């Protein structure tokens, strides 16, 4: 079974009743975060879902409204006691941007991996899921994701 929790619904700037893009997917004991707009950790905490089981983060593109919440989320995952690696997947330049954002957080108790994806990739990730990607048209490199569970 797959559970979905919408943490944000989009928009270019956070408003009191419109948090930025973010969604959680739970499969078994694993949690996957799709995008990470500013303030993601606030609605995540309100949802009651734990930060610790999150080992996969999927970024569609690198505009601030999709990634500005990353330092806070990585910090929350660290303080939830996670020591297993966390992998961030995203389009070209994801590694460079993540490197700069992680400087805000400081030392993490887990290994942080960054994987560059392009449209047409298909890889196994966690909990039996296969991740497939599609290059999307946007003002910057953008990836669409599909998860398949046998």
């Amino acid at each position: 079974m797959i559970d979905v929790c919408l943490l944000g619904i989009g928009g270019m700037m956070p408003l009191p009743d419109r948090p930025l893009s973010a969604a959680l997917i739970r499969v078994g004991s694993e949690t996957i975060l799709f995008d990470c707009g500013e303030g993601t950790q606030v609605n995540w905490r309100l949802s009651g879902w734990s930060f610790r089981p999150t080992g996969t983060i999927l970024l569609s593109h690198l505009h601030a409204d999709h990634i500005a919440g990353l330092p806070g989320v990585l910090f929350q995952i660290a303080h939830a006691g996670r020591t297993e690696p966390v992998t961030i997947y995203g389009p070209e330049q994801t590694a460079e941007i993540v490197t700069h954002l992680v400087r805000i957080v400081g030392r993490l108790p887990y290994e942080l991996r960054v994987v560059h994806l392009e449209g047409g990739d298909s890889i196994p990730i966690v909990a039996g899921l296969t991740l497939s990607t599609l290059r999307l048209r946007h003002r910057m490199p953008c990836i669409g994701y599909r998860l398949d569970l046998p």
Side-chain angles (χ1 to χ4, degrees):
M1 172 161 17
I2 297 177
D3 294 313
V4 178
C5 179
L6 296 176
L7 301 175
I9 55 173
M12 291 176 42
M13 62 181 66
L15 297 171
D17 295 323
R18 190 180 69 192
L20 298 180
S21 296
L24 287 171
I25 303 292
R26 185 169 49 201
V27 180
S29 63
E30 303 284 340
T31 306
I32 299 166
L33 176 65
F34 283 85
D35 282 338
C36 192
E38 181 180 344
T40 292
Q41 75 273 23
V42 175
N43 276 354
W44 192 332
R45 187 156 307 280
L46 290 172
S47 77
W49 287 32
S50 175
F51 288 89
R52 192 184 186 299
T54 306
T56 303
I57 299 172
L58 305 172
L59 301 176
S60 63
H61 65 288
L62 304 176
H63 279 150
D65 59 326
H66 291 259
I67 64 165
L70 200 54
V73 164
L74 295 174
F75 184 80
Q76 292 296 327
I77 292 170
H79 285 278
R82 185 174 183 94
T83 56
E84 303 84 7
V86 172
T87 304
I88 298 175
Y89 295 90
E92 59 190 72
Q93 298 183 339
T94 298
E96 179 183 351
I97 298 297
V98 168
T99 297
H100 294 296
L101 290 174
V102 168
R103 288 185 182 154
I104 298 169
V105 182
R107 187 180 113 36
L108 296 170
Y110 50 83
E111 176 188 358
L112 187 60
R113 302 171 181 163
V114 179
V115 177
H116 167 234
L117 295 174
E118 306 217 6
D121 294 311
S122 184
I123 57 173
I125 51 173
V126 297
L129 290 171
T130 299
L131 174 70
S132 299
T133 64
L134 175 68
R135 182 168 287 283
L136 302 175
R137 282 194 281 173
H138 197 43
R139 289 177 290 167
M140 65 182 339
C142 188
I143 301 287
Y145 295 102
R146 185 180 85 197
L147 294 175
D148 290 302
L149 182 63

